Amino acid sequence: MPNITDVAILGATGSIGTSALNVIRLHPDRFNVVGLSAWHRTEALAALVGELSPRIAAVSTEHVDAFRAQFRGTGGDVTLLGGSAGLKAVAEYPRADTVVAGISGAAGLESTFAAVDAGKRILIANKEPLVMCGGLLRKEARRSGACLLPIDSEHNAIFQCLPEALQQSVANGLGVRGTDNGTGVERLTLTASGGPFLRTSAADLRQVGPKDALQHPTWDMGPKISVDSATLMNKGLELIEACTLFGLDETQVEVVIHPQSALHSVVHFSDGSLIGQMANPDMRVPIAYGLAYPERIASGVHGLDFMTLGRLEFESPDSERFPCLELARAAAREGGSVPTALNAANEIAVQAFLAGRLGFCQIPVLIRDIMDHHNKVSVKELGQVLEIDREVRQRASKMLADGIPAS
Ligand SMILES: NC(=O)c1ccc[n+]([C@@H]2O[C@H](COP(=O)([O-])OP(=O)(O)OC[C@H]3O[C@@H](n4cnc5c(N)ncnc54)[C@H](OP(=O)(O)O)[C@@H]3O)[C@@H](O)[C@H]2O)c1
């Protein structure tokens, strides 16, 4: 009989949160949910609180009174909190052994940091904090003894392909330490589906809107990451995430378009071997791996059938139609506060695109302009990162108000 793992889920009402809960529901003898968070969707969170009886739950400050009102008189003993203090309280809740970081965007930074600070085992889907200040998070993990388990599918695939000693090194915030230390890891290939506009002409890309961008061909995800997948910024963020998590240089991480989304990434070893991980494109697979690591448990996802799959195709990304990937690569090369600026500009651009205030092809124009005018500094502590994020958002919002030229 396995020990019960107490789990807190940040972003429980989102796509990652839902997938995590679906795996957890398959294993009631193994996992116990002690903390949950959402932001606006308080009814959905209230339903989860009713079902799972966590000890602590948090929503936005704006919604916390209405959220509490739903539980008045029910006699439950759940602590209901609001705002970023509430998120942090869930992240560092003493009874939680494992924290699933499933908030979307920079909004997850402080709670992820709090979970790392508290020495938790953290299943990291929320890639933006790693992009903004992955070095700081790794340093903090080394100090606190936190265990970082990547569950973004590509990074989880890479993690699965590493020998156990290197897995431990990555989880402890040490990375794989480059090519010349006998680990044999030379480089990584991140695969990308290519998103909904893989075959869309440059002319037609000028006309696409939010509805088109949200129709991802292989993955079912939240709106922000779906738009990022359509621009290929998601792969750019993942490139920075890979450099951070595995301690590699950007020249050691290549991106390949693989429309079937069956091979989730590959590690190239010095003897010429390539080891990759394959599965149906369903986040329950990496989440189940992270939840039970180092054991394997049922995720509810069927294995791949090669005959149904038929073939695996690979092609190079088109940086003319999708400039965001190269912008992210440039940010990875520059380092310091440049990835923080890239991420903040991208979040503002994606919000504006979803709200119909910015064209699809203007997204990279805004980001490039922000990067061109950003004064790089080295990133030393969380407060500084939050300040840079705030400043860039202000500048990007002003640019939007002044009008962004067509690309
Ligand atoms: N979805 C995927 O398949 C996938 C795959 C790999 C990596 N990821 C990464 O995982 C993260 C989550 O993605 P997702 O697709 O699950 O996003 P999502 O479906 O949009 O869910 C986001 C979650 O975060 C909460 N949230 C939204 N704004 C917040 C704020 N300001 N403060 C605190 N919580 C907030 C949401 O609460 P409400 O519901 O109340 O708004 C929701 O629970 C992202 O970083 C993404 O890049 C996702």
Side-chain angles (χ1 to χ4, degrees), residues 262-389:
L263 175 64
H264 295 298
S265 280
V266 175
V267 182
H268 299 243
F269 290 91
S270 52
D271 61 1
S273 298
L274 277 65
I275 302 185
Q277 182 256 358
M278 297 180 74
N280 275 311
D282 190 313
M283 288 305 292
R284 288 175 295 170
V285 175
I287 290 170
Y289 181 89
L291 281 170
Y293 178 80
E295 292 174 37
R296 286 191 189 258
I297 54 170
S299 64
V301 180
H302 293 299
L304 266 176
D305 176 53
F306 284 115
M307 296 311 130
T308 309
L309 190 60
R311 60 193 166 160
L312 301 177
E313 294 164 310
F314 302 97
E315 59 191 89
S316 296
D318 178 349
S319 53
E320 296 279 311
R321 283 183 304 139
F322 301 105
C324 285
L325 177 55
E326 284 309 310
L327 291 175
R329 190 176 282 286
R333 202 161 38 238
E334 287 279 327
S337 57
V338 181
T340 316
L342 170 106
N343 183 70
N346 181 54
E347 289 198 21
I348 292 294
V350 171
Q351 274 168 20
F353 170 71
L354 284 169
R357 293 192 293 122
L358 190 70
F360 185 79
C361 294
Q362 291 172 304
I363 294 174
V365 177
L366 187 151
I367 298 167
R368 191 190 308 271
D369 203 302
I370 287 287
M371 286 175 70
D372 286 348
H373 295 96
H374 179 69
N375 290 324
K376 172 179 151 184
V377 292
S378 66
V379 170
K380 297 208 165 63
E381 44 99 20
L382 179 62
Q384 181 200 13
V385 177
L386 292 168
E387 184 56 24
I388 295 167
D389 179 68

Side-chain angles (χ1 to χ4, degrees), residues 8 10 34-35 56 81 84-99 110-120 122:
L10 297 163
V34 294
I56 183 167
L81 300 170
S84 58
L87 296 180
K88 278 164 78 176
V90 173
E92 61 198 20
Y93 188 62
R95 258 195 58 191
D97 316 303
T98 294
V99 176
E110 288 179 272
S111 51
T112 301
F113 217 92
V116 174
D117 194 30
K120 304 291 185 192
I122 305 141

Side-chain angles (χ1 to χ4, degrees), residues 192-198 216 225-239 255-257 316-319 321-328 346 360:
S193 70
F197 305 137
L198 180 60
H216 196 277
I225 184 176
S226 295
V227 176
D228 285 345
S229 298
T231 61
L232 289 200
M233 180 56 95
N234 184 48
K235 214 46 58 176
L237 299 178
E238 288 177 0
L239 187 155
V255 171
V256 166
I257 302 291
S316 296
D318 178 349
S319 53
R321 283 183 304 139
F322 301 105
C324 285
L325 177 55
E326 284 309 310
L327 291 175
N346 181 54
F360 185 79

Side-chain angles (χ1 to χ4, degrees), residues 36-240:
L36 293 170
S37 85
W39 205 239
H40 302 110
R41 285 183 276 184
T42 50
E43 280 185 19
L45 190 67
L48 292 175
V49 170
E51 175 197 345
L52 300 159
S53 308
R55 310 303 299 265
I56 183 167
V59 296
S60 69
T61 311
E62 194 190 341
H63 289 90
V64 71
D65 288 340
F67 186 54
R68 284 183 178 137
Q70 298 187 57
F71 294 94
R72 213 156 277 149
T74 59
D77 60 355
V78 56
T79 304
L80 305 173
L81 300 170
S84 58
L87 296 180
K88 278 164 78 176
V90 173
E92 61 198 20
Y93 188 62
R95 258 195 58 191
D97 316 303
T98 294
V99 176
V100 178
I103 292 174
S104 175
L109 175 60
E110 288 179 272
S111 51
T112 301
F113 217 92
V116 174
D117 194 30
K120 304 291 185 192
R121 175 180 171 123
I122 305 141
L123 274 54
I124 304 189
N126 184 199
K127 65 194 79 180
E128 291 86 352
L130 288 167
V131 170
M132 296 168 75
C133 59
L136 283 186
L137 283 164
R138 281 174 54 194
K139 189 171 160 205
E140 191 57 19
R142 294 195 290 274
R143 188 202 60 76
S144 69
C147 171
L148 306 174
L149 292 176
I151 57 165
D152 204 353
S153 58
E154 296 75 5
H155 307 75
N156 181 265
I158 291 162
F159 189 87
Q160 291 200 34
C161 296
L162 295 174
E164 197 187 329
L166 283 192
Q167 290 184 335
Q168 292 308 321
S169 176
V170 169
N172 296 338
L174 292 165
V176 299
R177 294 203 174 280
T179 56
D180 57 355
N181 65 345
T183 65
V185 175
E186 281 202 329
R187 60 196 181 89
L188 310 175
T189 297
L190 297 180
T191 54
S193 70
F197 305 137
L198 180 60
R199 307 286 173 225
T200 307
S201 70
D204 288 347
L205 275 184
R206 292 176 193 283
Q207 313 303 328
V208 301
K211 257 193 180 161
D212 311 303
L214 294 177
Q215 300 299 319
H216 196 277
T218 49
W219 293 95
D220 182 12
M221 308 180 288
K224 196 262 176 181
I225 184 176
S226 295
V227 176
D228 285 345
S229 298
T231 61
L232 289 200
M233 180 56 95
N234 184 48
K235 214 46 58 176
L237 299 178
E238 288 177 0
L239 187 155
I240 301 172

